[in-house]
Amino acid sequence: MRNIGLLKLGRQRSASLGFTLLELLVVVAIIGLLASYVGPKYFSQIGKSEHGVAKAQIESFGKALDQMRLDIGRYPTTAEGLNALMERPAGLAKWSGPYLAKALPLDPWGKAYMYKSPGTNGREYDIISYGSDGQPGGTDSAADVTNN
């Protein structure tokens, strides 16, 4: 008899130790509210990091272009493009490349960087990524990233 009383008491305790459906719904609602607050802030940071990567890559291209200029006496032409950093253009005996450690990367949005020589506003060259939309101009993640 005594064992039956302990058995009933054990069942009551285990039943009262669980969560009710209402408690679970409240917790899920709180998690949803937190996610809706934090999510947009997190995803806006992703766009900023892609712009940072593009700026770093453009800076790396600039250093490689400067090294190439020291070797051959000029920057690559627009026709030769950034590929001149990896492969010897025709007729350049003093080319000592490749000037990049790895293959020429695409921008963070999967598009090729644009290269123009001579550049605008008196610059020797321009290197441009047109951002997430691939079009000139734009704002936020679609803003252009350049070497200026």
Side-chain angles (χ1 to χ4, degrees), residues 30-86:
I30 291 171
I31 291 172
L33 287 171
L34 289 173
S36 68
Y37 177 72
V38 173
K41 292 183 183 284
Y42 171 74
F43 288 113
S44 71
Q45 294 300 318
I46 290 175
K48 289 180 184 176
S49 67
E50 289 171 335
H51 274 263
V53 168
K55 286 180 183 180
Q57 287 178 334
I58 288 173
E59 185 177 316
S60 174
F61 296 151
K63 291 177 182 175
L65 288 166
D66 290 342
Q67 183 61 47
M68 182 177 174
R69 181 176 172 265
L70 288 174
D71 289 347
I72 67 170
R74 64 173 177 83
Y75 288 106
T77 64
T78 301
E80 292 168 340
L82 293 174
N83 289 330
L85 296 172
M86 298 303 296

Side-chain angles (χ1 to χ4, degrees), residues 5-20 23:
L6 289 176
L7 195 61
K8 285 183 183 179
L9 182 61
R11 284 185 191 160
Q12 288 174 349
R13 283 188 184 162
S14 66
S16 67
L17 293 177
F19 295 107
T20 66
E23 291 170 330

Side-chain angles (χ1 to χ4, degrees), residues 71-119:
D71 289 347
I72 67 170
R74 64 173 177 83
Y75 288 106
T77 64
T78 301
E80 292 168 340
L82 293 174
N83 289 330
L85 296 172
M86 298 303 296
E87 298 175 13
R88 179 192 308 267
L92 292 180
K94 294 181 180 180
W95 187 86
S96 300
Y99 296 96
L100 296 173
K102 296 181 181 179
L104 194 65
L106 298 174
D107 71 8
W109 300 277
K111 298 171 185 77
Y113 285 95
M114 303 298 294
Y115 173 81
K116 297 177 193 173
S117 179

